Each structure stands twice: as structure tokens, then as C-alpha cells.
């Protein structure tokens, strides 16, 4: 359990401090995952911090869900830490998949346009 004694000056109880820590941790992971996926996929992609954050949050949630199911059903162990190397790799793979879908949609729209 992390030591939250330094945050006691904020007037938050321990549950609030843990929740804040988790939100900041997942937001940081989402930025890393979204940015990594954008670096892996070349071409036109959604730009901006908000799109990176949304891409990272969605892919982290879905990727970690699939990894948890893998650990639960294949390995028989329900304990999975999403902030780990397998969780980050799964999240980056899902984000890369989402960006691939985005590229297919953009290309189909570009093909449908008349010059």
C-alpha cells in the first residue's frame, strides 16, 4: 500500500487519495499507450492531446479487460496488474488496432470523394 501521509494536508481521506492516485496513474498510462500507438502507425492520424488521451483510455480499458480474461481463463489466475508490461503491450496492440480501423474509415471516405 502506498504511503499517502504527505497528501494529508489536502484534507482528503485515504479512499480519496487512493482514487486520485489511480486516476493519475491510469491517465499517465493512457498517454503513454496512445502516444506509442501513434508512433507505431504511419500516415494520417487524429492529432492532439485529447485524441491521444481518449485513444489511450479506451485501448487501455479494452486491452486490460482482454488480458484479465486471458489470465483468468487460460492461466487460472484472476490476479492481473494492468499497470505492468503485459497490460501495456495489450493496450498498445488494441490502440494500434483502433488506429488501423481509423485509417480504413478515412481511406474509404477519401475514395468516395469526387475531385
Amino acid at each position: 500500500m502506498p504511503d499517502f501521509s504527505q497528501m494529508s494536508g489536502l484534507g482528503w481521506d485515504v479512499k480519496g487519495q487512493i482514487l486520485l492516485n489511480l486516476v493519475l496513474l491510469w491517465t499517465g498510462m493512457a498517454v503513454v499507450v496512445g502516444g506509442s500507438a501513434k508512433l507505431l502507425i504511419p500516415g494520417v492520424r487524429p492529432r492532439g492531446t485529447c485524441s491521444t488521451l481518449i485513444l489511450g483510455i479506451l485501448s487501455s480499458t479494452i486491452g486490460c479487460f482482454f488480458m484479465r480474461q486471458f489470465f483468468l481463463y487460460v492461466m487460472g489466475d484472476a490476479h492481473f496488474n494492468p499497470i505492468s508490461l503485459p497490460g501495456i503491450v495489450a493496450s498498445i496492440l488494441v490502440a494500434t488496432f483502433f488506429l488501423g480501423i481509423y485509417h480504413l474509415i478515412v481511406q474509404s471516405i477519401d475514395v468516395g470523394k469526387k475531385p
Side-chain angles (χ1 to χ4, degrees), residues 58-92:
L58 286 176
S59 61
S60 294
T61 304
I62 293 171
C64 289
F65 172 77
F66 285 130
M67 283 303 290
R68 185 177 183 283
Q69 297 305 316
F70 171 77
F71 273 84
L72 180 65
Y73 293 115
V74 174
M75 302 182 88
D77 185 14
H79 302 290
F80 170 69
N81 184 8
I83 313 295
S84 63
L85 186 61
I88 292 173
V89 169
S91 300
I92 290 174

Side-chain angles (χ1 to χ4, degrees), residues 40-55:
L40 290 174
I41 299 288
V44 178
R45 55 188 177 258
R47 297 182 182 156
T49 307
C50 289
S51 65
T52 303
L53 189 62
I54 291 170
L55 173 70

